[in-house]
Amino acid sequence: MSDNRMDEDFINNAGKAMLVQEHQKNAVSNQLSQIDISMKNLAELNSSNLDDLDVLLMEAELLCQQQNIDPFAFTIDDFELGLELTTLSAEEKLSIKVDRLEMLEIVTIGDNCEWEEYLNNIEAYAEKNQVDLSQDPFKDLMTGSERAELSERIQADYMIKKADCDKYDYMIAAFCGVGAGLIDSFFVGMPAASKIGEWTEGQTDNLVEKFSKMVWNADKKNGIPNLKKEPDNIASAIGYLERRFKVNYDARYAKDLEMGENILNMNTKNHHLKSLGHSPDLIGLFFSILDQFTGKASFISDGQIIRLEPKDSGFELKGGNFIAKLFSGFCNWIGHIMSDMAGSSGTRGHENGGRGMGVGIPFFELFQLCNFGSFYVEGEQKNLAELMAKVFEKGYDMRHGIAMAIPVAINELFIRLLWAIKSRFYHERSWKDSIPFGDRPELRRMLLVGHGTLCLVDGADAAIRSCGEMITFVLHLNMIAWSRFAFAGLKEVRTLYKENCLDIELLEKDLEIEWEVLYG
């Protein structure tokens, strides 16, 4: 039986138990009401008897005064009085009789056997007391008003709704998209000719230098031997990190691998793309740990993954046990990625050196699986994988990816901000309902239009500047913007397909939050 089926059965059985408990609670409530009525009847009888007794005493006292009799010399039985105290009849005694409550045996639930026994007791009680367990138990646990309130909340909060945008929403989205597209065209452009790219490369250099100094100071504090002077420029920072975080898969040429020259087309310009351990994403982390544990190196080329043995790597993964080795491998992956982000120490160390080959944009390596298509590149026909490898060699790395992300982030920020302002002051919603996050159908449509407009401007700019040359065209394309647009498009298609259906993910998320509040 699947886990989902088991969970469904457990919840259904728990609902039946709650329904029986509700029946018991109602029975107790009815008994308490009956007891309360009977107690009131007894109180009334007692009050009536007290009144009659008072009348009786007054008559006796009056009689004694008329006959000049000392009242303390006689008992009340010596007088014949016409008043009798009220007593309970057989019917009245029966009316205040309280029925015995039906008890349900409770067992300690510690294993499946005791749980089954408890469920059997539930079934027996329900059959004896005519409690219907054949229907949905949770439906009977709620009142009509509670069911209506729940239905309204589900409709309002968890139904996937179609966007109801007006002309101003589309105008705002298009305006933001055009503005971000112009920023991308004039300030991002292509690698090595980007104004924003110059700034992001400088920030990357600063990050690498700060990281290297942090590691160097930690090594000095821990007494690492043969420690050279503290890195004071980008070249020394990269060099120190390369020595500090060595890995076995850092082969620059195919000839550095056993049988590599026969099956792998790799050089210093593209080895950061073809080596899976150099990818700054989850794929890179997985293959980096795998390669460090197995002593092999994983590459992606010609649409397939290749694993080869490095020549004389001399690498040994540190750690006394599996967890220590795993942590050491993770640190090596992080440190080696940082050493390659800003290029190699040899390239950056020259006075007139170039920007060097950085690491790829996250998941950019997946293009190497696309061993199809035909594009005219530098006088030759290339498939998509070979085209993207050439694009990477031209500087389309993570530093340029950060530059491309800036206009995309600006577009996203301004669309969300202007939607919130319009929602608050034009539609006069509350600030809580104007928060530009979560499932907002109009905001979702505006983001689709805004990022689509950005991509249109970006594509037109790339087509004009490339004059039909494929590599130049791709170099001018903003992959981050196109990825964001594709994601927004998938969300909109999903919404159109599942319109008026429950948003199960959102519902489960809210249920998890409520569960943590109750039992966290």
Side-chain angles (χ1 to χ4, degrees):
M1 183 182 294
S2 66
D3 292 340
N4 291 337
R5 181 60 183 172
M6 291 177 64
D7 292 342
E8 183 179 347
D9 291 341
F10 179 82
I11 293 174
N12 188 53
N13 290 331
K16 292 179 179 179
M18 292 175 64
L19 191 59
V20 167
Q21 291 173 6
E22 183 73 14
H23 182 273
Q24 289 184 307
K25 186 187 76 172
N26 292 335
V28 171
S29 178
N30 292 335
Q31 290 286 58
L32 290 175
S33 298
Q34 186 177 352
I35 291 173
D36 185 60
I37 293 172
S38 299
M39 292 298 292
K40 287 181 179 179
N41 291 336
L42 286 174
E44 290 176 358
L45 289 174
N46 184 53
S47 177
S48 177
N49 283 337
L50 289 175
D51 291 341
D52 292 343
L53 183 60
D54 289 340
V55 171
L56 179 64
L57 291 173
M58 290 177 62
E59 291 181 354
E61 184 178 357
L62 180 60
L63 181 61
C64 288
Q65 291 177 357
Q66 291 175 353
Q67 300 296 328
N68 293 321
I69 299 174
D70 184 3
F72 297 101
F74 299 91
T75 63
I76 195 170
D77 292 334
D78 295 327
F79 298 93
E80 292 183 4
L81 300 175
L83 182 66
E84 295 184 358
L85 295 178
T86 304
T87 58
L88 295 175
S89 65
E91 292 182 357
E92 290 174 326
K93 291 180 180 179
L94 185 62
S95 66
I96 64 172
K97 182 180 180 181
V98 179
D99 297 332
R100 179 182 177 89
L101 289 174
E102 178 72 20
M103 303 298 294
L104 176 65
E105 183 180 357
I106 303 296
V107 296
T108 303
I109 302 173
D111 53 38
N112 188 55
C113 179
E114 293 173 345
W115 172 247
E116 292 296 334
E117 183 179 351
Y118 177 71
L119 292 179
N120 291 335
N121 292 338
I122 291 289
E123 296 286 349
Y125 178 93
E127 183 178 357
K128 184 176 181 180
N129 293 275
Q130 297 181 352
V131 180
D132 186 11
L133 299 182
S134 61
Q135 304 297 323
D136 182 7
F138 295 100
K139 181 179 179 180
D140 295 330
L141 286 171
M142 293 187 295
T143 64
S145 60
E146 289 174 337
R147 288 195 295 269
E149 182 180 353
L150 178 61
S151 178
E152 289 178 2
R153 183 178 178 186
I154 291 175
Q155 289 285 340
D157 297 342
Y158 301 111
M159 296 298 289
I160 299 177
K161 307 178 188 66
K162 183 179 179 181
D164 186 20
C165 295
D166 56 29
K167 62 179 180 180
Y168 300 109
D169 293 326
Y170 290 112
M171 289 172 62
I172 290 171
F175 173 78
C176 293
V178 170
L182 293 176
I183 294 174
D184 175 73
S185 299
F186 291 103
F187 296 97
V188 176
M190 60 184 292
S194 171
K195 296 179 176 63
I196 294 180
E198 294 177 1
W199 179 80
T200 57
E201 289 178 15
Q203 296 302 309
T204 303
D205 289 351
N206 293 335
L207 176 63
V208 173
E209 289 183 34
K210 289 180 180 179
F211 180 79
S212 66
K213 290 179 180 180
M214 180 184 70
V215 175
W216 189 89
N217 289 325
D219 287 347
K220 182 179 180 181
K221 183 178 180 181
N222 294 327
I224 301 297
N226 302 322
L227 196 63
K228 298 181 180 180
K229 69 173 184 175
E230 182 180 6
D232 55 2
N233 56 53
I234 186 61
S236 61
I238 294 174
Y240 171 70
L241 292 176
E242 287 175 343
R243 296 188 300 273
R244 178 65 175 78
F245 298 102
K246 288 185 178 180
V247 290
N248 62 309
Y249 53 81
D250 193 26
R252 297 184 300 170
Y253 298 95
K255 64 182 181 181
D256 297 331
L257 305 163
E258 296 289 348
M259 303 296 293
E261 294 179 273
N262 299 330
I263 58 176
L264 184 62
N265 180 21
M266 186 180 71
N267 52 54
T268 56
K269 290 186 176 182
N270 60 26
H271 84 282
H272 287 169
L273 177 65
K274 291 184 177 290
S275 173
L276 286 171
H278 284 87
S279 303
D281 49 43
L282 291 177
I283 296 174
L285 174 60
F286 172 79
F287 280 100
S288 175
I289 298 295
L290 178 66
D291 290 350
Q292 292 180 69
F293 267 91
T294 60
K296 293 186 177 182
S298 302
F299 300 89
I300 185 168
S301 182
D302 296 328
Q304 58 183 347
I305 296 175
I306 303 170
R307 304 199 71 223
L308 300 171
E309 191 86 24
K311 292 181 180 178
D312 302 326
S313 65
F315 172 80
E316 182 180 357
L317 185 59
K318 298 180 180 179
N321 53 52
F322 175 77
I323 299 299
K325 289 181 179 291
L326 189 65
F327 180 73
S328 177
F330 173 76
C331 293
N332 285 340
W333 176 70
I334 290 287
H336 196 76
I337 289 291
M338 294 297 295
S339 74
D340 288 331
M341 280 181 61
S344 64
S345 57
T347 303
R348 301 303 302 276
H350 297 160
E351 182 176 353
N352 296 322
R355 63 193 295 272
M357 301 305 301
V359 296
I361 299 171
F363 303 105
F364 191 83
E365 71 276 5
L366 295 179
F367 278 113
Q368 295 305 295
L369 293 173
C370 302
N371 198 25
F372 52 79
S374 180
F375 305 92
Y376 188 74
V377 179
E378 297 178 349
E380 299 179 355
Q381 291 298 124
K382 304 284 186 181
N383 58 39
L384 181 58
E386 294 170 331
L387 169 65
M388 300 312 290
K390 288 291 183 180
V391 168
F392 175 79
E393 293 174 11
K394 298 290 184 180
Y396 207 93
D397 57 13
M398 191 165 70
R399 290 171 292 178
H400 186 62
I402 297 172
M404 291 188 295
I406 291 176
V408 179
I410 292 174
N411 192 31
E412 183 99 7
L413 176 63
F414 272 90
I415 290 175
R416 291 182 181 272
L417 178 62
L418 292 176
W419 177 87
I421 293 173
K422 181 175 180 288
S423 174
R424 178 66 183 90
F425 296 104
Y426 181 81
H427 296 291
E428 297 182 349
R429 301 189 184 106
S430 65
W431 279 115
K432 181 180 179 180
D433 293 333
S434 300
I435 297 175
F437 297 100
D439 186 24
R440 313 289 188 182
E442 290 75 28
L443 178 59
R444 183 184 63 238
R445 178 68 60 81
M446 290 174 66
L447 290 172
L448 174 66
V449 174
H451 289 299
T453 305
L454 167 58
C455 290
L456 286 176
V457 176
D458 175 64
D461 174 74
I464 293 172
R465 294 178 186 271
S466 66
C467 298
E469 209 285 306
M470 184 53 65
I471 287 187
T472 305
F473 175 77
V474 178
L475 287 172
H476 276 92
L477 283 180
N478 189 326
M479 293 290 182
I480 307 299
W482 285 94
S483 299
R484 181 65 183 90
F485 174 58
F487 179 74
L490 288 175
K491 289 188 67 175
E492 189 67 20
V493 170
R494 172 180 174 271
T495 301
L496 294 175
Y497 179 72
K498 293 188 174 183
E499 185 180 349
N500 295 326
C501 295
L502 276 176
D503 191 340
I504 301 300
E505 294 180 2
L506 180 61
L507 181 59
E508 290 181 347
K509 182 179 179 181
D510 284 355
L511 289 176
E512 288 178 1
I513 294 174
E514 293 292 336
W515 184 268
E516 291 176 358
V517 170
L518 291 174
Y519 300 99

